[in-house]
Amino acid sequence: MDRYKKWSQDELDLLVKLRNEDKLTFEQIADRLEGRTKAQVNSRYNYLIEKNNFKTKKLNPRKKWTDKEQEILVKNRFKKLDELLEMLPERTPRSIKSKLVKLGYSRKENKLDENMKQFIRDNYMEMSQSQLANALGVDRGVIRRFKNKEKLNGEFVWTLEDISSDKDNFMSINIKMKRKFYLEGDEKYNVN
């Protein structure tokens, strides 16, 4: 038995028919497909179902992207994946993402306008890079590069503001801490 025998289109069609229409088990299908094991049949069927996003019964070999499909994809790349799937019904989520990467595009807008830059300046001390990126719909790397360029790097330091004990319970201590953001170069940056 050849372990690496390529699947023919006839075999694929028969596999789908036997499984979907005749409701045979993978073992029964393997008996009907010469040179195929139960594991091979199971694996190929599951791959085909995933590849076709559970929507199609007739499984076609990969189709080359048309110029029109590529144009639709690039023009609408910032839309939700469900909307893209409606515009490109022959494509799977994986193929859409893969094609964008091959074309050199991202699904997130990576340019900051002046309002976005000001938002970062106003909120970088309260929000993490991930929170800023999600709020603005950009990659975290865009936020990181902007913060580096603007020299908005530093760290949060917790300092003790007040400590007191509870009069009613001598085992209870109240500690009040304050978080402050220190930029590199501040004289109080190196807090011990």
Side-chain angles (χ1 to χ4, degrees):
M1 175 171 21
D2 186 8
R3 236 174 108 167
Y4 301 107
K5 179 181 164 191
K6 187 175 179 179
W7 286 80
S8 70
Q9 188 62 44
D10 290 339
E11 281 182 304
L12 295 174
D13 292 339
L14 182 58
L15 168 61
V16 172
K17 179 192 173 301
L18 293 174
R19 183 66 180 176
N20 291 350
E21 295 171 19
D22 298 347
K23 306 292 184 205
L24 297 182
T25 66
F26 291 124
E27 191 170 348
Q28 292 169 328
I29 296 170
D31 291 340
R32 293 196 182 187
L33 293 173
E34 187 179 327
R36 300 293 180 188
T37 66
K38 174 185 170 186
Q40 288 173 325
V41 170
N42 184 352
S43 176
R44 179 52 55 167
Y45 180 80
N46 289 325
Y47 167 78
L48 291 171
I49 293 302
E50 178 187 309
K51 177 181 166 192
N52 286 278
N53 202 22
F54 298 99
K55 290 183 181 174
T56 58
K57 286 190 179 177
K58 182 168 172 62
L59 302 169
N60 298 322
R62 287 187 181 157
K63 223 171 91 173
K64 189 173 179 174
W65 281 79
T66 64
D67 291 338
K68 185 178 180 184
E69 283 179 316
Q70 289 182 40
E71 184 182 323
I72 290 169
L73 178 61
V74 170
K75 186 176 173 183
N76 298 292
R77 69 182 180 275
F78 301 120
K79 294 196 177 191
K80 292 184 178 181
L81 195 55
D82 292 339
E83 293 175 40
L84 285 173
L85 286 168
E86 286 177 19
M87 291 180 209
L88 302 164
E90 298 287 318
R91 302 297 171 186
T92 64
R94 183 179 285 172
S95 68
I96 288 172
K97 292 175 186 176
S98 177
K99 189 61 176 178
L100 279 171
V101 169
K102 287 178 184 172
L103 293 173
Y105 291 101
S106 170
R107 288 193 17 89
K108 292 186 175 182
E109 182 66 58
N110 287 327
K111 294 183 180 177
L112 299 173
D113 61 26
E114 199 50 48
N115 292 337
M116 296 166 96
K117 290 177 182 178
Q118 191 58 47
F119 181 82
I120 296 169
R121 288 182 195 109
D122 294 342
N123 295 292
Y124 75 96
M125 291 196 297
E126 290 83 27
M127 298 172 75
S128 68
Q129 284 185 180
S130 295
Q131 290 169 329
L132 288 168
N134 288 337
L136 297 174
V138 298
D139 289 325
R140 285 188 324 239
V142 174
I143 303 296
R144 181 179 33 80
R145 286 188 294 273
F146 177 75
K147 284 175 66 178
N148 288 341
K149 182 180 174 187
E150 296 279 314
K151 296 188 176 27
L152 300 176
N153 296 320
E155 66 178 86
F156 287 103
V157 177
W158 289 94
T159 57
L160 180 63
E161 193 170 273
D162 185 41
I163 187 166
S164 62
S165 61
D166 191 350
K167 293 177 184 174
D168 297 333
N169 183 356
F170 72 95
M171 296 293 288
S172 176
I173 297 174
N174 297 321
I175 299 173
K176 188 174 180 184
M177 302 290 288
K178 184 175 184 180
R179 185 171 90 157
K180 179 157 173 41
F181 187 81
Y182 288 101
L183 290 171
E184 290 179 30
D186 282 356
E187 63 231 24
K188 296 182 183 177
Y189 184 71
N190 294 321
V191 177
N192 294 328

